[in-house]
Amino acid sequence: MCGIFGYVGKQGNAAEIVFDGLKLLEYRGYDSWGVSVKQGKKLLVDKHVGKIGNSHLNSQLSTFNSQLAIGHTRWATHGGVTVNNAHPHLDCSSTIAVMHNGIVENFEVLKTELIKKGHKFISQTDTEVIPHLVEEFLKKEGLASSVRDAFNQLKGLNAVVVAYAVSKEIIAAKTGSPLVMGVGKNELFVASDASAIVNHTKKVIFLEDNRMVILGDRLKLIRLPDGKEIKPRFQTLDWKFEDTKKGKYRHFLLKEIYEQPHVIKNIVFNYKQEAQKLAGLIKKAFGTFMLGCGTASYAALAGTYLFSRIAKKHVNFSIGSEFNYLEDYLTKQSLLIPISQSGETIDIVEPVEKAKKKGATIAAIVNVLGSTLYRQADYKILLGAGVEKAVVGTKSFIAMISVLLLTAYTLAKKEDLGKRLLLKASQDLKKVLGNIFVENLKKIAGELKNKEHIYIIGRGLSYATALEATLKIKETSYMHAEGFAGGELKHGVIALIERGTPCIVFAPNDETHDDIISNAQEVKARGGFIIGIGPRNNKVFERFLKTDDIGDATIIPQVVISQLLAYYLALAKGIKDPDKPRNLAKSVTVK
Ligand code: F6R
């Protein structure tokens, strides 16, 4: 949710470095973008509405030797999508520029006080109070203490980067939203996400909450509450720059879908210890709860079925934003398994913090090293899915499912079977991703693209994946899709079926098969157009997409087929950039 990038260094093209960095962060928000560059004792500013995509930086900012610049790509919270509301926000003298990620919860109170003191506001954002606050403090102290004092007045979870026209330093501070520092040769970086700086350096510091950092001739790390300097702890990124590029693919979404066989294999061959550790924690716990939001919540829901079926173990599940209201029963014996690609989702981070206070053990399954959730957790399982750039989650979901499946089989002392199934799933995906299969999917996408609704049904494990398939179609193609448990249809939903209404039916070779086929018959009898996905064709299917029979791992090809269908539906509907669906952001750091 909003991307921040800052640079101080000797390369002489700070403006371009920041501009390129923002392009890599654009998936975090793409309502507007802006850059501020220091030229002599002035700050130049360039702001635009819309995606940074193929835009150009104003040549005034890029054609001189620049050594300090900051940038921002916005996902709007307070104030509409306008140039005035785009970042940076400036103080009255236009010498202080601020880029911000988060929400200043007390901005109205602060704004009223600042207006009384004569400050002029030109935007509707909460952010604009920050430069004016810094301006106030600068009347009596230096830049670093002014930023610290200003930041300490803000309520909420925030990250800021501040530049000052007469200073060679930029200052970053955070209480909640992510910030990572990169240390290069004679240059320092700050960004909302390590994937934006990995092409410059792999030596990074993930900034803890309540810290401030001064980037100048050297890097100085400071504790926000008392202003004490502390020693930074460096980490080395294991990501490759190529991971942040589309390569031969038209979109990141497609690239990431095609990376999934490899993601599964990595888990099969390298996650023995992780699965054993997690299985041991579940065995010992008195109550285990999995948490996730959106796609990760469907992975968690699938997890409850997997642990029940395979390991005969009851593992609870809740969506992250609701767990706040459910966790009163947690004790020191409880185990919480938060699942998150970004590790920054506030609806996960917040209940986890609360659970920690109650003494529960936290075993996080997360894709991003150094993320907030990663740091919160007592035990961490990194998903190893690599950088996921498309806003729509794909390979991280498959990695989550693979880790949960392997853990369930490990808990049942059938680890080898779990590995075999996953390897078969990774093999089957090669077929699903092959030309013949994809051409067939494109045809089906063409048949569905003008339908008003698409319904998707499944039972058991396939109910969880029906929900995930639905989400992929909604966010990628903007078509209305709904997922249901097959058995629920007759309790009301069936009223929605009309002649020609498409209904995708997940029919694996498990105990749900016959009942879901009956549900498909019920839909067909009311005019529904049935698309079956599973190992066995059936008369009821008008269209059929075959998966191998891979036991519990059959859900993997089910989901990958849905991801591809969603992608080709988007293309069939003329959606230009399925990597960045409207209104969404990759990392949701606000409530
Ligand atoms: C959907 C999608 C979102 C995320 C959700 C949680 O394709 O990507 O629903 O799954 O916002 O994000 P993480 O996993 O980063 O916590």
Side-chain angles (χ1 to χ4, degrees):
M1 209 123 282
C2 297
I4 298 178
F5 196 100
Y7 173 82
V8 187
K10 305 270 186 267
Q11 281 196 42
N13 55 342
E16 292 292 343
I17 290 173
V18 166
F19 182 65
D20 291 343
L22 285 185
K23 286 188 177 171
L24 295 168
L25 287 173
E26 194 180 29
Y27 66 91
R28 299 180 63 88
Y30 30 87
D31 290 330
S32 62
W33 62 275
V35 172
S36 178
V37 188
K38 178 173 149 67
Q39 184 186 40
K41 295 202 166 156
K42 274 195 306 201
L43 287 179
L44 306 182
V45 170
D46 189 20
K47 307 209 274 189
H48 300 263
V49 161
K51 293 178 183 169
I52 196 164
N54 297 322
S55 339
H56 296 282
L57 195 58
N58 182 330
S59 57
Q60 247 199 315
L61 276 79
S62 54
T63 45
F64 64 94
N65 181 316
S66 56
Q67 307 200 337
L68 184 155
I70 58 177
H72 185 271
T73 174
R74 178 172 187 240
W75 188 84
T77 59
H78 291 59
V81 180
T82 62
V83 170
N84 260 359
N85 289 336
H87 298 214
H89 289 282
L90 306 173
D91 67 321
C92 297
S93 64
S94 299
T95 56
I96 302 161
V98 173
M99 308 296 192
H100 170 223
N101 178 17
I103 293 177
V104 180
E105 287 169 5
N106 55 337
F107 87 100
E108 273 164 346
V109 181
L110 294 170
K111 190 167 171 175
T112 310
E113 282 170 16
L114 286 160
I115 289 172
K116 271 192 214 147
K117 288 182 181 154
H119 291 265
K120 298 264 178 303
F121 284 77
I122 57 161
S123 81
Q124 287 79 50
T125 64
D126 53 334
T127 306
E128 204 182 355
V129 297
I130 307 171
H132 291 282
L133 268 178
V134 176
E135 184 183 11
E136 272 300 308
F137 283 108
L138 262 176
K139 290 177 186 163
K140 40 185 196 282
E141 55 193 12
L143 179 65
S145 5
S146 299
V147 173
R148 198 184 126 239
D149 286 339
F151 199 78
N152 281 341
Q153 296 221 340
L154 311 181
K155 291 211 172 110
L157 302 174
N158 294 293
V160 296
V161 173
V162 182
Y164 183 32
V166 294
S167 167
K168 288 186 183 154
E169 296 169 338
I170 55 180
I171 303 199
K174 76 165 232 157
T175 43
S177 303
L179 278 182
V180 54
M181 256 36 63
V183 182
K185 207 169 164 216
N186 296 323
E187 55 186 358
L188 296 167
F189 305 83
V190 55
S192 301
D193 184 336
S195 65
I197 48 180
V198 68
N199 53 334
H200 297 285
T201 178
K202 294 197 172 172
K203 187 174 172 188
V204 297
I205 306 164
F206 293 99
L207 203 60
E208 305 266 334
D209 289 345
N210 298 309
R211 297 284 185 270
M212 182 172 102
V213 67
I214 303 172
L215 311 172
D217 288 338
R218 71 178 185 97
L219 184 145
K220 235 165 128 181
L221 184 61
I222 284 164
R223 271 200 311 235
L224 268 174
D226 59 11
K228 284 235 167 75
E229 186 171 349
I230 48 175
K231 222 173 139 205
R233 211 164 57 84
F234 296 99
Q235 285 183 266
T236 307
L237 293 174
D238 62 357
W239 285 349
K240 295 195 283 298
F241 180 51
E242 301 78 74
D243 294 348
T244 67
K245 296 271 172 210
K246 274 187 249 182
K248 63 179 183 186
Y249 295 95
R250 188 166 159 200
H251 296 108
F252 280 110
L253 181 55
L254 195 62
K255 175 184 179 230
E256 288 160 11
I257 290 173
Y258 274 80
E259 284 170 350
Q260 295 178 114
H262 173 73
V263 168
I264 300 172
K265 273 199 200 145
N266 177 41
I267 289 167
V268 171
F269 295 121
N270 300 308
Y271 278 60
K272 185 177 173 149
Q273 276 173 1
E274 281 82 352
Q276 280 174 348
K277 180 79 214 173
L278 191 58
L281 289 171
I282 294 173
K283 202 167 164 189
K284 207 174 78 188
F286 188 73
T288 299
F289 306 88
M290 287 184 294
L291 283 192
C293 295
T295 283
S297 79
Y298 302 134
L301 176 61
T304 58
Y305 287 98
L306 288 168
F307 284 107
S308 165
R309 291 167 62 76
I310 301 164
K312 316 293 172 240
K313 191 83 191 162
H314 177 217
V315 175
N316 280 304
F317 144 80
S318 166
I319 53 174
S321 55
E322 284 300 305
F323 199 62
N324 269 326
Y325 319 115
L326 266 179
E327 59 184 314
D328 294 327
Y329 47 63
L330 290 184
T331 69
K332 288 195 170 72
Q333 280 77 45
S334 310
L335 172 67
L336 201 64
I337 307 181
I339 306 176
S340 170
Q341 190 285 129
S342 62
E344 299 295 349
T345 303
I346 191 69
D347 291 325
I348 295 293
V349 165
E350 207 179 66
V352 165
E353 202 48 47
K354 210 164 142 191
K356 271 169 82 86
K357 291 203 176 111
K358 292 184 137 255
T361 301
I362 315 294
I365 301 181
V366 57
N367 199 34
V368 178
L369 171 78
S371 57
T372 305
L373 183 59
Y374 180 88
R375 285 184 276 109
Q376 281 177 314
D378 303 301
Y379 302 94
K380 315 140 203 288
I381 297 186
L382 275 172
L383 285 166
V387 183
E388 192 176 68
K389 297 283 285 183
V391 168
V392 171
T394 52
K395 58 179 180 168
S396 58
F397 177 82
I398 292 300
M400 290 165 191
I401 292 290
S402 304
V403 166
L404 292 171
L405 186 140
L406 188 62
T407 306
Y409 275 101
T410 304
L411 192 55
K413 297 198 175 6
K414 292 181 189 161
E415 184 190 316
D416 286 345
L417 176 56
K419 283 186 178 174
R420 271 206 305 280
L421 292 178
L422 285 174
L423 274 182
K424 269 176 94 178
S426 131
Q427 274 310 110
D428 185 41
L429 287 193
K430 295 205 173 124
K431 250 182 277 161
V432 166
L433 297 169
N435 279 346
I436 300 172
F437 203 98
V438 167
E439 286 310 313
N440 191 19
L441 263 175
K442 283 186 196 168
K443 264 193 226 138
I444 295 178
E447 288 178 299
L448 300 188
K449 70 174 184 191
N450 294 321
K451 300 283 183 187
E452 208 175 333
H453 313 283
I454 299 178
Y455 296 106
I456 308 184
I457 58 171
R459 284 172 171 257
L461 257 178
S462 301
Y463 165 51
T465 50
L467 298 181
E468 170 59 4
T470 303
L471 183 60
K472 293 304 92 156
I473 290 177
K474 279 184 197 165
E475 57 189 352
T476 310
S477 71
Y478 308 147
M479 288 182 74
H480 175 241
E482 284 303 330
F484 298 105
E488 276 296 289
L489 285 181
K490 55 193 175 295
H491 299 293
V493 177
I494 205 154
L496 297 170
I497 305 296
E498 294 175 335
R499 180 146 307 281
T501 306
C503 180
I504 298 175
V505 178
F506 286 156
N509 249 350
D510 62 13
E511 74 280 15
T512 69
H513 182 269
D514 294 352
D515 286 340
I516 201 74
I517 293 293
S518 300
N519 298 139
Q521 299 279 13
E522 291 154 14
V523 175
K524 190 165 178 162
R526 283 146 186 95
F529 177 80
I530 311 293
I531 300 157
I533 300 182
R536 274 192 273 161
N537 203 345
N538 190 290
K539 298 201 284 306
V540 71
F541 301 150
E542 258 101 0
R543 300 286 177 272
F544 174 58
L545 295 160
K546 187 174 176 356
T547 67
D548 277 352
D549 178 7
I550 330 168
D552 298 318
T554 309
I555 56 171
I556 292 178
Q558 278 175 359
V559 170
V560 176
I561 291 170
S562 318
Q563 295 167 350
L564 280 169
L565 180 63
Y567 176 74
Y568 287 110
L569 273 172
L571 296 193
K573 290 183 75 71
I575 290 166
K576 293 225 164 45
D577 191 358
D579 284 340
K580 298 188 190 79
R582 65 184 176 215
N583 305 337
L584 298 182
K586 182 78 181 156
S587 177
V588 185
T589 52
V590 294
K591 279 163 86 176

